[in-house]
Structures are given as structure tokens and as C-alpha cells.
Amino acid sequence: MYEMKKIVAVTLSVGLMLALTSCASQTSDNDASQATATLSASAGTKEAEQAVEQILSEDIHVNQIGYINTDEKIAVINGNYNSFKVVDASTDKVVLTKKLNGRIKDDSSGDSVCYADFSELTGKGRYYISVPELGKSYEFIIGDKDIYTGVSDAMLRALYLQRCGIVLDSKYAGEYIHSACHKALAKMYGDESKEIDVSGGWHDAGDYGRYSVPAAVTAADLLLAYEFCPESFTDSESIPESGNKVPDILDEAKYGIEWLLKMQDKASGGVYHKVTAMGFPDMTLMPDVDVDDLYVMPVSTTATADFAAVAAMAARIFKDIDGAFSRSCLNAALKAWGWLENNKGFVEFKNPADVLSGEYGDSSGSDEISWAAAELFRTTGEAKYGEYFNKNFESGGFGLGWQNVSGFAAIAYIFCDSDNIDIKKVEEIKKSWLEKADMFVSTAKKDGYLLAMHKMEYTWGSNMNVTNHAIHLLVADRLRNSEEYTAAVKNAAHYLSGRNTLSQCYITGFGAKQIMQPHHRPSVGDTVKQPVPGLVVGGPNSILDDDVSKAKLSGMAPAKCYIDDMSSYGTNEVATYWNSSAIFVFAYLNQER
């Protein structure tokens, strides 16, 4: 974990060099004082301190992707130290020396931290932080906004690499190729004599199931990201649709929505909950080799309402881009609403006893139906949808994940420009939305890593909580411009990029400390050493849902409950809707690129 770097500006005796080599293993336990003592036995104190400063320390936490030159730039230091240096990595020359400030006990990690604020450093280049008696950080870049272009593009392309039903060839997929998968007709569960074509869509996560509820949320994130930050997206992501004069983020959303259209029962308008095999395939099985029978599971309220909502969104956004697709989406959304009107009782989905794939169950469909009503109201302007929303929507939770979509509903309504809008309802929602945003800011100020996360939120998919809180803050900033909101958004990006208690970059293919073993079957089953790039992993999960995390993380602080192990689905799985929410956040950072 800790590597030796060439030491410049100091001539070491043979004995000191041997001591330095020994010191590297000692600092793996973060015991810098012991390392210094070992070195001091072989050389003078100053020489020893200079040597320690060249040892990589994961107690110096930085954004390993980089910092925008005009932004606030902070590293978080675990421990009680006095000063730090910023060093030009290309020359090993010190460019800034300052005192460390702030002393906070971080509740989520158990760390006692202080801060290295080097915001005044604006020169572009590659640097590292050095702390006497502790060591040096991973390297990072200071540059323009385009320093996040690579990671943003990779996260969007990762959704292309999750596509089902098409050939991923080297022209677009590079090394991450496979033949067309899951093209066979799927059987209706309970009536195997009936088969339908539901090819396409995205492999939802580390498995090959395709689920209507999270697919709708994934597409909604992409559409909202485009609505809020259209200038951040190009038509040149090197996917099959690139060059068609439509931003590739919309092409990707369309690919997912076209699959959802296939999941709608054409007679009733209801939407099937999912299509999967009866269980999960082996971890080493590539998608084109997975030929188990596929089963379409029954219609559910949540799948139908989420579909109606995202189809109405697509109808609005694609109206002047792809008229035929827009009309088909609107017709499908209206038909899905008809199903909801005809089935007022909650139609719940639960896995049958012989089905072991993901359930994506819910105990209520009220937030999903409110979302459908709000999107249909915003798209059509018809009063009946607004009336339903006004009567049934309650401000407060504002969820932006698959299990609670009330935040999507609120966004649709407060940004609607219909003459039939209820201004009092809009103001009520805005007030509650801003109150929650202020709560996130308050939480971030108390957090040692400047993150808008409570220690209880480090559960399955905690990185989605990080990004969804950031999305909430971006919407709040649109309602009431505030640097506190946008600073908290940037701190979420810093966290995902390595400025966290584990110094772990949570996006595959990026950072100095990279994810190497995601719970992701194509990454495990292919012949490529590096995992598929651009995938956001779930992150710390104090619930310890899998056997690996239970065995190796028991007793750890919530923010430390993560392990880079392919068998730890509770901490290291991927999901399209974790990517899509992160795409929204980094789109903000990439504006005007």
C-alpha cells in the first residue's frame, strides 16, 4: 500500500536508507511517530523529518483527481499536526508552507482531523501535500474546470458499457467488449407459454437483471442533469449515437427509456416490474455467455408510476429533438396513468419464493404516483394532474433514490410553468426544500470531511446518499443562489475523488488509490486487468450486508466500513443509478467546459 519515492535534496547515509525502508511498513499502521523515532536512531532529527516527509501517508486526504484553480482547495489531515507544505511533484520544490487549522473530531470516521487550506495556490500543475512527522499525500492536479472532464465522460460511458442486448465492440468499448447478450424472448412468470421481447436497457448493477424502477430513476437523473447543466454535455462521447447532433447524455437516456417502453403491457398500460433469471449468475460469467431463461415479473404500481413519470419527462425534453420518440413517450405515459386510475389499490411486488434476483420492493406507491402526476402536469399542463398532486403530495422527505422519488415530484412541480400551478403549493415546497438544504449545509460544517452526511447514512449505496444530497443542494441553489450550497456540492465531489477517511477514490479507473475489485460481473469475467472504468461503487456500509464485510469490517466506524473486494456486494457493487446521480453532480463542476 505504501510505496517509496526517490528522496531529493537530502543525502542519506546507508543506515538511514535502511531505516527509511523499514519505516515504510511501520507507517502502514499510521504510526508516524514510531517511524520518526526509527529514523532518528540513524540520523539527525532534521534529516529524519525530511525522510519521513517522503513516505506516502494515507492520513493526508486529498482529491486525487484534482482541484479547480479558482476554487477553495482543502486537504484533510488525520491527526494533530502543526504545518504543511505544498510541493510541486515535477520538481519536488516547496511552493507553499502554511499552518494547519481547525481541530474537529469526525463522528462518522472516529478521526481527529485538521485542515490544509491551500486555496491561494492557483498555478496549474501536479502537486502533493507534505506534513512533517507524517508523510506525503497522493499527487493531485490543479487545473481548469476541464480536470473533471475525463471522469464525467467515463461515468456516462460506463452506462453505455452497461447496455444489454447489443454488441460492445472495440470501436466504442475499447478492451471492454462482448457479443450481444440477453436477446432471447423472455417468459411471463406464471405463464411460460407467453413470451415477449424485452431486449435492451441497462444491466442494473453488478448482475444482469433489468429492473423498471431503478432504470426509470437512472433515466430521470440523466434528463435532469441535462435540463440543469446542458452546456456540460457533448455529442462526442464515442458511443454508437455520437455525431447525431443530439447530446450523448440524451441518447443514453433514450436507450434506457426505449427498453422501458417494451416493459409496458400494451393492453392495460401497466409496467412489468423486472426481467431477470431466477437467480444471480456466477461472478465470472460474461453477459453474452449468460443464457439462463429470462422471466418477466408482474406489473406493479411503483414500476408503472415511475415509468409514467420518466416517459412524461422524455416527452417534454425530446419534443424539439425527436418528435416521434416524444409522442410515443407521451402516449405511453398517458396509458400508464390510465392503469393507475384503474388500479387505485397498491399493487405491490414481492419476489416469489423461487425468484432470487433483486426485488426493488416498496411498501407504498404514493410518492411514485405523485411524481407521475407532477411530470404529466408539467408536460401537458392539464389541470387534473396538478389537482392530484396538490391533494396528495406532502412536502418533507424529498427522496431522490429508487425507494423514495418524492424529490423528483417536487422538482417537476416547482419548475412547472403552467397557468394552472398552485403558487401556494409551490412556495410551501420551496420552503421545505430550502430548509432541508440548510440542514445539509449545517451537517457538512460539523463533519470532519466537510460532507453533508450523518453517520447513520453510511448504509447500502451510501455514495448515492452523497450525490443525492448534492443534487438537492444544486436544486436549492437554483431556488436561492448560495455559495454555501455549491461549496457543499463540491465537497461531495472531493469525497468521491479520495478526500475521505480511507483515501479511496470511489470511481473505477480514477485516482491514485483505485478500485480494483468491484462487485461487477463483466469486470471480474473479462480478461482485462483493470475493471470497467467510470463505475461508482456503493461505498461504506455500516450495516455489513455481506459475509466479507461482516468478517473484515466488524467494529469499524461507519465511514470506514468499505472494502475493495469483489465478494462485498454490500460495499463494492455498482449500479446505474449511482452513476447517474454522480453524473449530475460532476455536470455542475463541468459547466462551460
Side-chain angles (χ1 to χ4, degrees):
M1 182 179 295
Y2 293 88
E3 61 178 340
M4 300 302 302
K5 298 290 186 181
K6 180 180 179 182
I7 299 177
V8 298
V10 171
T11 302
L12 295 172
S13 66
V14 173
L16 180 56
M17 185 62 78
L18 290 173
L20 180 58
T21 303
S22 170
C23 176
S25 62
Q26 294 178 29
T27 53
S28 65
D29 293 325
N30 298 321
D31 192 350
S33 60
Q34 184 180 354
T36 305
T38 301
L39 289 168
S40 296
S42 302
T45 301
K46 182 177 180 180
E47 200 172 35
E49 288 181 355
Q50 289 175 324
V52 169
E53 287 182 49
Q54 290 298 321
I55 300 171
L56 182 65
S57 171
E58 290 191 356
D59 277 340
I60 306 174
H61 310 291
V62 299
N63 180 329
Q64 295 162 25
I65 295 173
Y67 299 82
I68 296 173
N69 59 343
T70 56
D71 277 355
E72 179 181 64
K73 292 174 281 293
I74 291 175
V76 181
I77 316 299
N78 181 18
N80 186 14
Y81 302 95
N82 295 316
S83 64
F84 73 96
K85 305 170 186 175
V86 183
V87 183
D88 187 321
S90 64
T91 64
D92 280 327
K93 290 184 178 179
V94 176
V95 297
L96 182 68
T97 301
K98 286 184 68 177
K99 292 290 186 182
L100 292 164
N101 58 61
R103 295 287 187 272
I104 293 180
K105 176 73 172 180
D106 179 53
D107 202 26
S108 297
S109 66
D111 296 343
S112 294
V113 303
C114 51
Y115 303 100
D117 187 339
F118 52 104
S119 300
E120 64 263 46
L121 183 60
T122 59
K124 298 175 186 177
R126 181 172 291 276
Y127 304 89
Y128 61 85
I129 302 293
S130 178
V131 177
E133 299 183 359
L134 181 58
K136 62 186 290 187
S137 72
Y138 288 114
E139 294 180 3
F140 56 86
I141 290 172
I142 294 178
D144 292 327
K145 290 182 179 181
D146 62 3
I147 65 171
Y148 296 128
T149 298
V151 66
S152 296
D153 292 348
M155 288 190 295
L156 181 56
R157 277 184 48 75
L159 293 181
Y160 160 71
L161 296 172
Q162 285 288 97
R163 287 188 187 184
C164 183
I166 63 169
V167 175
L168 297 188
D169 62 37
S170 59
K171 179 178 179 181
Y172 302 110
E175 299 176 283
Y176 304 97
I177 60 175
H178 62 72
S179 300
C181 59
H182 307 108
K183 294 284 288 183
L185 296 178
K187 305 175 187 294
M188 297 298 298
Y189 184 83
D191 183 7
E192 295 189 18
S193 65
K194 184 179 179 182
E195 297 181 325
I196 60 173
D197 173 21
V198 286
S199 58
W202 299 297
H203 299 142
D204 171 65
D207 64 310
Y208 299 135
R210 287 162 290 153
Y211 307 82
S212 296
V213 167
V217 169
T218 300
D221 279 338
L222 299 180
L223 295 176
L224 277 178
Y226 175 75
E227 280 198 312
F228 272 70
C229 307
E231 64 274 22
S232 295
F233 301 104
T234 70
D235 184 28
S236 56
E237 298 293 348
S238 189
I239 63 175
E241 297 84 359
S242 294
N244 65 356
K245 300 182 179 180
V246 175
D248 285 341
I249 191 170
L250 295 184
D251 289 320
E252 199 59 56
K254 181 180 178 182
Y255 190 86
I257 294 167
E258 285 177 329
W259 171 74
L260 284 168
L261 290 168
K262 291 184 177 182
M263 291 291 284
Q264 183 175 39
D265 176 53
K266 300 305 181 284
S268 68
V271 176
Y272 301 117
H273 196 78
K274 65 177 180 176
V275 54
T276 69
M278 300 296 274
F280 295 115
D282 184 84
M283 277 300 296
T284 62
L285 202 65
M286 289 295 287
D288 53 328
V289 186
D290 178 26
V291 293
D292 285 352
D293 287 342
L294 295 174
Y295 291 87
V296 177
M297 297 296 150
V299 167
S300 70
T301 295
T302 52
T304 304
D306 284 347
F307 169 83
V310 78
M313 287 181 75
R316 179 178 70 254
I317 292 169
F318 279 90
K319 184 177 181 181
D320 297 324
I321 297 171
D322 185 339
F325 179 65
S326 171
R327 289 188 293 275
S328 66
C329 286
L330 181 56
N331 290 336
L334 295 172
K335 196 160 192 175
W337 183 263
W339 185 94
L340 294 169
E341 289 185 318
N342 294 329
N343 296 270
K344 296 188 183 300
F346 179 56
V347 180
E348 184 178 9
F349 176 81
K350 282 191 172 296
N351 270 343
D354 57 346
V355 176
L356 303 178
S357 57
E359 185 172 272
Y360 287 105
D362 207 332
S363 60
S364 167
S366 59
D367 52 311
E368 287 85 358
I369 300 172
S370 290
W371 182 26
E375 295 290 1
L376 280 164
F377 179 59
R378 187 177 181 189
T379 296
T380 68
E382 290 191 29
K384 70 173 184 177
Y385 301 118
E387 290 167 2
Y388 181 94
F389 178 89
N390 291 335
K391 183 178 179 180
N392 293 280
F393 183 80
E394 296 183 5
S395 300
F398 299 129
L400 290 166
W402 64 266
Q403 200 163 24
N404 184 337
V405 296
S406 59
F408 291 111
I411 293 169
Y413 195 77
I414 60 179
F415 289 105
C416 180
D417 58 3
S418 170
D419 292 337
N420 294 318
I421 199 83
D422 185 324
I423 299 300
K424 184 178 179 180
K425 188 72 171 180
V426 169
E427 293 306 314
E428 170 198 313
I429 295 171
K430 286 182 178 180
K431 181 176 182 292
S432 294
W433 192 280
L434 291 169
E435 286 173 352
K436 187 169 184 177
D438 291 339
M439 180 198 73
F440 284 145
V441 169
S442 176
T443 299
K445 288 179 178 178
K446 298 172 186 175
D447 184 81
Y449 288 86
L450 311 176
L451 190 65
M453 283 277 284
H454 187 273
K455 68 178 181 179
M456 300 301 291
E457 293 182 287
Y458 289 92
T459 55
W460 182 74
S462 64
N463 284 338
M464 179 187 69
N465 294 337
V466 172
T467 51
N468 281 346
H469 294 353
I471 291 172
H472 187 104
L473 288 158
L474 286 174
V475 174
D477 183 63
R478 186 68 61 92
L479 299 176
R480 184 180 69 199
N481 186 261
S482 167
E483 288 187 6
E484 286 192 321
Y485 295 160
T486 55
V489 172
K490 292 172 183 177
N491 285 332
H494 292 319
Y495 171 88
L496 291 178
S497 305
R499 201 184 71 184
N500 53 65
T501 182
L502 299 175
S503 284
Q504 179 68 68
C505 184
Y506 288 119
I507 307 164
T508 59
F510 288 86
K513 186 178 180 181
Q514 296 192 2
I515 303 291
M516 293 303 295
Q517 299 186 63
H519 183 89
H520 179 242
R521 282 166 175 79
S523 293
V524 175
D526 65 17
T527 60
V528 185
K529 181 180 178 181
Q530 295 285 335
V532 170
L535 294 168
V536 178
V537 298
N541 177 5
S542 61
I543 305 299
L544 307 180
D545 288 308
D546 58 76
D547 292 340
V548 172
S549 59
K550 287 175 183 175
K552 297 184 178 182
L553 301 174
S554 181
M556 302 289 285
K560 294 182 185 290
C561 287
Y562 168 81
I563 185 167
D564 183 14
D565 188 306
M566 68 182 70
S567 297
S568 181
Y569 56 83
T571 73
N572 215 29
E573 191 167 10
V574 303
T576 60
Y577 48 96
W578 298 341
N579 259 61
S580 57
S581 57
I583 287 167
F584 193 153
V585 173
F586 278 82
Y588 165 74
L589 300 179
N590 270 323
Q591 289 184 102
E592 300 177 1
R593 74 182 195 186

